Amino acid sequence: MPAHYGGFETCVEEVGRRLAERGHLVTVYCRTGNSPDKAVKEFDGMRLVHLPALRRRSLETLSHTGLSVAHLLARRADATIVFNAANAPWLPLLRLARLPVATHMDGLEWKRAKWGPVGKRYYRWAERFAVRFSNALIADAAGIRDYYRTTFDAATELISYGAPLLAPQEPRQLASVGLVSGQYHLVVARLEPENHVHTIVEGYVRSSAKLPLIVVGSTPYGHGYDQKIREAADTRVKFLGGVWDQDLLDELYANALVYWHGHSVGGTNPSLLRAIGAGAATNAFDVNFNREVLGSAGRYFRNPDDVARLAEESEARPAGIRTRGSQAREIAARYDWDVVTDGYEALCYALDSRTLTRAQGRGRNNRAASVSQVPDESRVAS
């Protein structure tokens, strides 16, 4: 805290501070390597606990959560929210300590190309284990909810993310990166295969587009994918790396001709919501998660040829782009962080009151009863 890396952080910050404003005692477990200042013990009303993690891709999340669970067992909470099914091995400890827990299942992590065969098998196992040992499951997209219903016969609480509605803003910082409002294409993503940045770059290079393609993002762990992207680019493609200045990032979204969204496995994506909240017309990779958000306001691609065609259409029809941008802002208004917080608050009350019941089924699925708000103070650990 403050959030600067991904969707989970953003959700914890937005929901956590709202729960704190409503009188709840909220504890957030932070990784020391990701925290700007581990001496900071409180942020926006949330109590912060900084703990270390092993700096290896396969162990970072699991090691930090293990320490967090150990810390929590000695201090207690009325409700616990665990983000990421990868943390499933620690769930039995919470259950044995009678700490009710909901697990945010994220997207289909085993589909991510960064994981080898062992990692993919682990995530498939972790899904099953989380279904078995969570009091409740959280899905942020209907497609994720449907996956757990079909695969495990397991119910989930459908709680999406919120979208910040950004007022139209004058481009104050664009010149510092050599850009002019409305005169560039934009990609914002971690440089990982399932985000299809290479597909966007390859397709754009095949097109006759005149405006530059701006790529914002970095590789969280070293591998050759970013080099593959750079080798596919030509002089029209500009790489900005990671942009941590939120004001500049918002300007980039709000002033792009079109935003290209290649994410394919992560459910409802906060970058997409931020883009449409800024009024950016969006071309997205053609999967159900993206169609669920954009509907008819989006244009969709599956391969470089689709990207080339859409890039040329975007520059040839600026009036249509403006119309799609207005439609995007209307869609973003449906993703309200206050409503999202209502969902988490109701879920935490239900966890605390033990009104969520486990289903026997095939011995590995949980069904969550409908949650309702109860007027009482609670302590939430995330």
Side-chain angles (χ1 to χ4, degrees):
M1 301 289 106
H4 69 280
Y5 185 66
F8 281 160
E9 282 190 354
T10 300
C11 183
V12 171
E13 178 178 330
E14 296 290 347
V15 173
R17 68 179 178 84
R18 285 173 170 82
L19 289 175
E21 289 170 358
R22 298 180 186 188
H24 301 286
L25 307 178
V26 180
T27 299
V28 179
Y29 286 90
C30 307
R31 299 181 198 177
T32 51
N34 292 348
S35 304
D37 185 357
K38 64 181 180 181
V40 176
K41 303 300 183 184
E42 185 174 309
F43 178 77
D44 277 359
M46 296 173 281
R47 178 191 176 215
L48 307 184
V49 176
H50 301 274
L51 296 170
L54 295 174
R55 287 297 175 184
R56 291 183 59 186
R57 181 173 64 184
S58 59
L59 295 175
E60 185 172 0
T61 293
L62 199 58
S63 63
H64 176 262
T65 302
L67 291 175
S68 301
V69 168
H71 185 277
L72 179 61
L73 292 178
R75 288 158 180 83
R76 316 298 297 174
D78 299 308
T80 307
I81 308 295
V82 172
F83 287 83
N84 195 341
N87 295 306
W90 305 115
L91 296 177
L93 292 180
L94 295 172
R95 295 299 301 273
L96 285 171
R98 298 187 61 78
L99 291 172
V101 57
T103 303
H104 191 303
M105 303 304 286
D106 195 21
L108 306 180
E109 189 71 19
W110 49 270
K111 285 190 173 184
R112 295 188 186 275
K114 67 181 179 181
W115 302 118
V118 174
K120 292 178 185 295
R121 285 197 298 272
Y122 173 78
Y123 270 101
R124 295 301 293 267
W125 171 86
E127 284 182 351
R128 295 192 299 271
F129 204 72
V131 167
R132 180 178 179 184
F133 284 99
S134 301
N135 294 98
L137 306 175
I138 301 170
D140 62 34
I144 299 298
R145 175 198 61 193
D146 296 344
Y147 168 79
Y148 280 93
R149 178 186 295 151
T150 301
T151 306
F152 301 104
D153 192 26
T156 59
E157 298 297 331
L158 179 58
I159 311 176
S160 189
Y161 294 120
L165 288 176
L166 306 177
Q169 44 190 297
E170 293 296 322
R172 298 171 181 170
Q173 300 187 62
L174 286 185
S176 68
V177 289
L179 299 176
V180 177
S181 179
Q183 298 297 300
Y184 59 91
H185 302 252
L186 178 67
V187 179
V188 179
R190 295 179 196 168
L191 303 185
E192 298 176 338
E194 62 276 358
N195 293 340
H196 292 93
V197 179
H198 64 288
T199 303
I200 297 168
V201 170
E202 289 174 13
Y204 170 85
V205 168
R206 293 182 192 181
S207 77
S208 60
K210 300 295 191 295
L211 301 179
L213 173 66
I214 307 304
V215 179
V216 174
S218 58
T219 306
Y221 300 96
H223 54 69
Y225 181 67
D226 56 341
Q227 186 62 33
K228 175 183 177 180
I229 296 170
R230 291 176 184 274
E231 290 173 353
D234 62 15
T235 57
R236 295 172 294 168
V237 182
K238 183 174 182 179
F239 295 90
L240 296 187
V243 173
W244 310 117
D245 182 333
Q246 192 61 64
D247 292 335
L248 173 57
L249 191 58
D250 288 343
E251 277 192 30
L252 288 168
Y253 282 125
N255 292 281
L257 173 73
V258 65
Y259 168 67
W260 295 85
H261 186 75
H263 298 65
S264 63
V265 302
T268 301
N269 185 271
S271 295
L272 175 57
L273 295 179
R274 195 162 200 97
I276 64 175
T282 300
N283 297 335
F285 192 75
D286 192 3
V287 291
N288 58 344
F289 308 126
N290 296 333
R291 284 187 175 272
E292 180 183 331
V293 174
L294 292 169
S296 61
R299 300 294 181 269
Y300 302 95
F301 62 90
R302 296 286 299 185
N303 53 55
D305 289 338
D306 292 341
V307 172
R309 172 177 53 80
L310 290 173
E312 293 169 358
E313 286 181 4
S314 298
E315 295 189 7
R317 301 172 185 173
I321 290 294
R322 288 192 291 272
T323 298
R324 288 174 52 207
S326 297
Q327 292 173 339
R329 279 186 59 83
E330 292 175 3
I331 292 170
R334 306 172 194 165
Y335 291 84
D336 187 321
W337 277 118
D338 289 328
V339 175
V340 173
T341 303
D342 291 343
Y344 276 95
E345 184 178 44
L347 175 57
C348 288
Y349 278 132
L351 289 168
D352 181 38
S353 63
R354 306 303 200 272
T355 58
L356 291 168
T357 57
R358 286 175 54 85
Q360 299 306 310
R362 291 169 289 179
R364 45 175 202 155
N365 60 300
N366 297 2
R367 294 184 185 275
S370 297
V371 298
S372 59
Q373 295 189 36
V374 180
D376 189 15
E377 185 185 86
S378 65
R379 292 170 292 163
V380 181
S382 172

